[in-house]
Amino acid sequence: MSRPLPSRAELAAFLKQFDRPPSKRQILRAFGLGATERAWLREEMIALGEESELPKKAKRGDGLPPVTVLEVCDRDEDGEVLAKPASGPAAAEPDLWTIYLAPDRGGQPPAVGERVLARLSLIEGTIYRASIIRRLGGATRRLVGRYELAPDGTATVLPADRRVKELYRIRAANRLDAQSGELVLIEPLRPDQRRGRQRLEEARVIERLGDSDSPNAFSLIAITEHGLPMDFPAAALAEAEAAGAAPLEGRVDLRETPLVTIDGADARDFDDAVFAEPDPDPANAGGFRLLVAIADVAHYVTAGSALDLEALRRGNSAYFPDRVVPMLPDALSNGWCSLKPAEERPCLVAEMVISAKGQLRRHRFQRALMRSSARLTYEQVQDAIDGRPDETSQPLLEPVLRPLYAAFAALDKARAKRGTLEMEIPERRVALDETGTPKAVVPRQRLASHRLIELFMVTANVAAAEALEAKRKVCMYRVHPPPDQAKVEALGEVLRALGLSFARGQPMKPALFAGALDQVAGSTAAPLVGELVLRCQSQAYYAPENLGHFGLALQRYGHFTSPIRRYADLLVHRALIAAYELGTGGLPEGDETHFEEWGEAISRSERRAAMAERDTLDRFTAHLLMGQVGAILPGRIASVTRFGLFVRLDESGADGLVPVTSLPDDYYDHDADLHALVGRRWGRSYRLGEPVMVRLEEADALTGSLIMALTEGEAGPSPWPDPPPDKRKGSSSKKPASKRRTAPKGRRDRVHKVRR
């Protein structure tokens, strides 16, 4: 896809760097454009007056031109982004210049290798400060792969990204002393850097990452592939190391209040603590006073500091089975901003009063100093409530845990009344042994204690959004738009084919989807309908414009409860501190103008981290399944595409591809609306949600991919009625797919002839 076209002024500024006009190919490449823009470029060159009006290139002594194309090349020890001239004569001697590139308006520095059109200002000598006019993209793609050295001396790299099919050749001069079997980071060479036509793409090794067969490498592959920043700038680390205890002055003293943290057994940071007690106000009989205390990250990470700029760049923490890529350095995330038991910590506390029916009656926000009474796990808390307390939870059962569950029961009533969309999606985790080697992929437990903390956090997030609206201050909302109408109509068609009620034209509310899930609860169709409902949902994102949260059925919703690991929450904390005049660390005046750009940036960071986490889980799962190649396993069709079926294995939850070429001999139509592959000749159909038995053919831990083949055998009842539904029934304009002799015009890409 071509990038936005530069303006005529930008083009003219670029051309001023050259003694004579560069070729059109050079110009297009500099701006990240394709050959389709040649005609546009020709017209622009004519309009610029045949280039004769352009000033001649300045001599070296005159320095760099005021506007030029730069390529990001590094970051210094203080986290400053360094760039070099990307074109023109200055590009031949990049070491002559030191160019510091300021972040764009959104605070996001470009990636290493990315090109930008920038305006330069001289600081002194050959040192420049550059500001971005336009981001041109064009970052040189870097890949992680396994380095192999053949007996004949040929070195190749197989990329770990399953979407990349090329094998890369590494010449002797570009190997960086890599050893066969190592993971390496490579940079593909541009076509004009290759010598003649090569059968294989060429690349150079730029970093050696260790043994490719070690499970410890799986998260490192994803971190490198997705560009997650690993090392903190020296200035940010220095600020974190200089942090210390916060004073009580200006804070509410909650050190004697028995606040507790409740997290997973494998949790690495503790940024929220809770407490509840019956409300003594007679006007609120049966109600509760609820405290949600959150680590006061804004006290330690001030706006514009090196820590702040790095936190914005990262956007959030990313969690892997064997490591964390944190948003903040360890001195904060596992130190002063972690609410460890029996240690004094500063916090921002939401004090909320709820009714017996779970309605939020009023709230206020204060800065406080707390001392956690205990670090509890979900399992510990649930066991205590179920009559199996241990030595830690026993003293807290009556004074702390039972009031928490009573408040939770009230909030749960309100949740049920407003009709939220409850999607019970199984979550997988990798169990590691003491050496860090994966033992199994197991489902995460879903206990009442999990839902308790979730509802407390949701309530605090709502209170934060309401508080900022009441103060007429900016808020970074967590927006979840309603589903796309076309997707809902397609869902309705499938549900009606299954014999379920799903009336057309109903108001778009979560209860509409919850009703569909209720109809199939406990049946063979439950996984299928759950998958279809999930696919209808829009993706949530961050923005300063309040559009509500559809899934939670809330009119306003922010993120307040995890500032250690989410930059959005830190922004909400700063906004609350400024709105309530709670001291230093509030949102500086003018920062609200950046919320839209920052929202887009942290939404991208969130998606990037989620993809890296998912890819790592796939690699760990494939590693565990390598010993089961050839085994017959039960699963269910989780996705239907024109190139095959994705089957989700029952035990591990892993997804593998059954290629369409492995299906029985036939022509297959991909019915996108009914999520099916339908054989024309014999009428075989393979549909979403159907149980199947598969043979595991391949398991590749490097790419995280699984290849399977369908086998005969009992797999369980199908959720679809028999005979299979036909969306074309009653239509005289279209024949069933099994009756057509040829592919309809315009749909040949959806038809597959498979021969053995």
Side-chain angles (χ1 to χ4, degrees):
M1 180 184 294
S2 296
R3 300 184 180 278
L5 300 176
S7 68
R8 188 169 296 168
E10 292 168 353
L11 180 61
F14 171 74
L15 293 172
K16 288 179 182 179
Q17 303 173 64
F18 299 86
D19 288 320
R20 55 194 180 92
S23 69
K24 291 184 177 63
R25 180 181 177 186
Q26 288 176 304
I27 299 172
L28 292 171
R29 180 179 295 171
F31 286 94
L33 304 176
T36 54
E37 278 76 32
R38 278 183 175 274
W40 163 84
L41 181 59
R42 183 172 56 252
E43 295 297 324
E44 290 298 302
M45 297 287 279
I46 294 172
L48 285 170
E50 304 294 337
E51 297 83 45
S52 59
E53 298 178 9
L54 297 176
K56 291 186 177 181
K57 172 188 166 293
K59 299 178 181 178
R60 177 191 289 185
D62 296 329
L64 295 173
V67 176
T68 189
V69 175
L70 302 176
E71 181 177 326
V72 179
C73 58
D74 204 356
R75 292 169 69 89
D76 68 10
E77 62 180 9
D78 294 324
E80 289 269 36
V81 177
L82 299 174
K84 62 183 180 181
S87 56
E93 299 178 291
D95 293 336
L96 288 175
W97 323 99
T98 301
I99 305 173
Y100 293 102
L101 183 62
D104 60 16
R105 289 184 61 204
Q108 286 292 99
V112 172
E114 187 172 347
R115 293 187 170 204
V116 299
L117 184 69
R119 180 173 289 107
L120 274 63
S121 56
L122 183 65
I123 298 176
E124 62 175 347
T126 58
I127 303 174
Y128 288 81
R129 169 67 66 182
S131 57
I132 297 172
I133 299 173
R134 183 193 296 269
R135 297 177 74 147
L136 304 176
T140 302
R141 188 178 187 191
R142 295 182 173 189
L143 300 167
V144 179
R146 183 168 53 226
Y147 178 89
E148 297 288 355
L149 185 63
D152 65 359
T154 302
T156 57
V157 170
L158 174 66
D161 188 339
R162 71 188 76 175
R163 297 164 298 182
V164 180
K165 308 302 181 185
E166 295 87 357
L167 195 65
Y168 287 86
R169 178 183 176 185
I170 313 295
R171 293 184 180 274
N174 296 324
R175 295 177 184 176
L176 207 65
D177 297 325
Q179 302 299 306
S180 191
E182 275 191 322
L183 271 180
V184 294
L185 180 64
I186 63 170
E187 185 177 76
L189 298 177
R190 296 172 183 168
D192 58 354
Q193 291 177 279
R194 302 189 194 120
R195 299 178 182 177
R197 293 183 175 273
Q198 299 293 334
R199 187 174 61 85
L200 298 179
E201 298 285 333
E202 286 195 26
R204 66 185 182 96
V205 176
I206 57 177
E207 188 176 351
R208 297 166 59 187
L209 304 176
D211 184 3
S212 64
D213 293 327
S214 169
N216 294 329
F218 298 153
S219 54
L220 184 60
I221 292 172
I223 289 167
T224 307
E225 276 187 343
H226 293 281
L228 272 62
M230 289 280 284
D231 298 323
F232 284 91
L237 289 173
E239 289 178 3
E241 292 294 338
L248 177 61
E249 183 181 357
R251 297 179 180 274
V252 176
D253 191 347
L254 294 180
R255 289 176 293 180
E256 300 304 317
T257 302
L259 288 148
V260 296
T261 64
I262 305 175
D263 297 277
D266 57 351
R268 299 172 173 95
D269 46 45
F270 316 114
D271 54 0
D272 58 81
V274 294
F275 171 78
E277 63 182 0
D279 186 2
D281 185 357
N284 188 32
F288 295 88
R289 173 177 173 260
L290 174 63
L291 299 181
V292 174
I294 308 298
D296 190 357
V297 176
H299 173 75
Y300 296 104
V301 182
T302 57
S305 66
L307 271 172
D308 181 47
L309 293 176
E310 184 64 14
L312 174 58
R313 184 171 79 99
R314 293 173 178 242
N316 52 263
S317 298
Y319 296 87
F320 302 94
D322 59 341
R323 71 186 77 197
V324 178
V325 178
M327 187 180 79
L328 299 175
D330 186 73
L332 294 181
S333 59
N334 289 315
W336 292 109
C337 294
S338 188
L339 307 181
K340 297 179 179 180
E343 296 188 16
E344 293 184 3
R345 291 289 185 265
C347 62
L348 186 60
V349 62
E351 181 181 357
M352 298 166 286
V353 174
I354 60 174
S355 70
K357 295 182 179 180
Q359 300 297 326
L360 185 58
R361 291 169 60 93
R362 62 182 181 274
H363 49 71
R364 64 173 176 171
F365 290 84
Q366 297 175 300
R367 271 179 149 165
L369 194 66
M370 62 163 285
R371 184 166 46 218
S372 172
S373 295
R375 179 270 199 261
L376 301 173
T377 68
Y378 293 115
E379 293 78 12
Q380 258 184 311
V381 171
Q382 195 63 54
D383 283 346
I385 291 295
D386 293 341
R388 301 182 300 276
D390 61 17
E391 60 182 11
T392 302
S393 60
Q394 176 67 60
L396 300 169
L397 180 57
E398 296 302 328
V400 176
L401 299 184
R402 292 207 187 279
L404 286 174
Y405 269 76
F408 162 57
L411 289 171
D412 203 35
K413 292 178 186 176
R415 179 206 59 77
K417 184 176 180 179
R418 71 174 183 266
T420 61
L421 181 57
E422 292 287 331
M423 297 290 294
E424 295 293 338
I425 303 169
E427 187 179 352
R428 296 179 290 156
R429 71 176 182 87
V430 178
L432 306 175
D433 64 17
E434 59 278 359
T435 66
T437 303
K439 298 185 300 182
V441 176
V442 296
R444 288 189 183 272
Q445 282 187 292
R446 177 74 171 162
L447 304 171
S449 53
H450 288 90
R451 297 179 56 237
L452 177 149
I453 291 298
E454 287 171 7
L455 264 181
F456 286 178
M457 298 304 112
V458 165
T459 306
N461 288 335
V462 170
E466 286 185 355
L468 290 173
E469 284 191 9
K471 294 284 188 177
R472 299 183 182 277
K473 299 295 183 180
V474 67
C475 178
M476 185 64 80
Y477 293 99
R478 180 64 168 177
V479 178
H480 183 220
D484 179 79
Q485 187 64 44
K487 291 183 179 180
V488 176
E489 291 174 0
L491 170 66
E493 185 174 353
V494 173
L495 294 179
R496 285 186 290 272
L498 289 169
L500 303 175
S501 61
F502 195 80
R504 293 183 175 92
Q506 288 192 24
M508 192 75 73
K509 294 182 178 180
L512 178 67
F513 301 95
L517 295 171
D518 289 342
Q519 291 181 72
V520 296
S523 72
T524 57
L528 166 63
V529 175
E531 183 72 28
L532 292 172
V533 169
L534 180 63
R535 293 183 184 198
C536 277
Q537 304 310 307
S538 302
Q539 189 171 44
Y541 61 92
Y542 294 103
E545 181 183 4
N546 180 26
L547 299 177
H549 196 292
F550 178 81
L552 295 174
L554 293 170
Q555 294 182 350
R556 59 190 62 81
Y557 189 66
H559 267 176
F560 159 78
T561 55
S562 293
I564 286 181
R565 61 184 180 91
R566 294 189 304 227
Y567 193 78
D569 302 53
L570 177 56
L571 291 174
V572 170
H573 275 228
R574 288 176 180 160
L576 287 167
I577 291 168
Y580 280 82
E581 299 180 351
L582 298 177
T584 60
L587 192 71
E589 187 176 349
D591 267 19
E592 65 276 2
T593 62
H594 297 300
F595 265 46
E596 184 174 352
E597 294 94 337
W598 288 344
E600 293 174 358
I602 57 183
S603 296
R604 288 194 302 269
S605 299
E606 178 185 55
R607 291 191 290 271
R608 176 184 66 177
M611 288 189 291
E613 292 166 354
R614 183 195 62 211
D615 288 352
T616 300
L617 182 58
D618 288 345
R619 289 187 171 98
F620 271 101
T621 306
H623 174 80
L624 287 165
L625 289 172
M626 287 171 65
Q628 297 189 51
V629 171
I632 306 299
L633 304 168
R636 191 174 293 272
I637 297 176
S639 181
V640 180
T641 71
R642 61 186 182 84
F643 53 84
L645 311 170
F646 281 95
V647 172
R648 183 163 300 147
L649 299 179
D650 290 346
E651 184 176 352
S652 65
D655 289 341
L657 174 66
V658 177
V660 70
T661 52
S662 70
L663 298 179
D665 186 19
D666 207 338
Y667 290 84
Y668 287 93
D669 286 315
H670 176 218
D671 190 326
D673 294 334
L674 288 181
H675 307 277
L677 283 179
V678 182
R680 277 197 216 166
R681 186 176 182 187
W682 306 112
R684 292 186 184 91
S685 64
Y686 302 97
R687 292 162 289 177
L688 183 71
E690 285 188 328
V692 292
M693 299 297 294
V694 295
R695 181 175 57 254
L696 182 59
E697 301 283 349
E698 297 177 22
D700 187 346
L702 181 67
T703 62
S705 60
L706 305 174
I707 303 297
M708 305 172 183
L710 296 182
T711 65
E712 299 295 331
E714 288 295 324
S718 170
W720 294 89
D722 192 30
D726 187 350
K727 68 172 184 175
R728 305 171 184 83
K729 188 174 181 180
S731 172
S732 59
S733 61
K734 294 182 180 179
K735 294 181 181 179
S738 59
K739 300 293 185 182
R740 287 196 220 106
R741 292 183 175 274
T742 58
K745 209 170 197 179
R747 289 189 59 188
R748 294 185 185 274
D749 63 325
R750 298 175 68 184
V751 179
H752 303 267
K753 182 178 180 181
V754 182
R755 289 197 182 109
R756 290 184 177 176

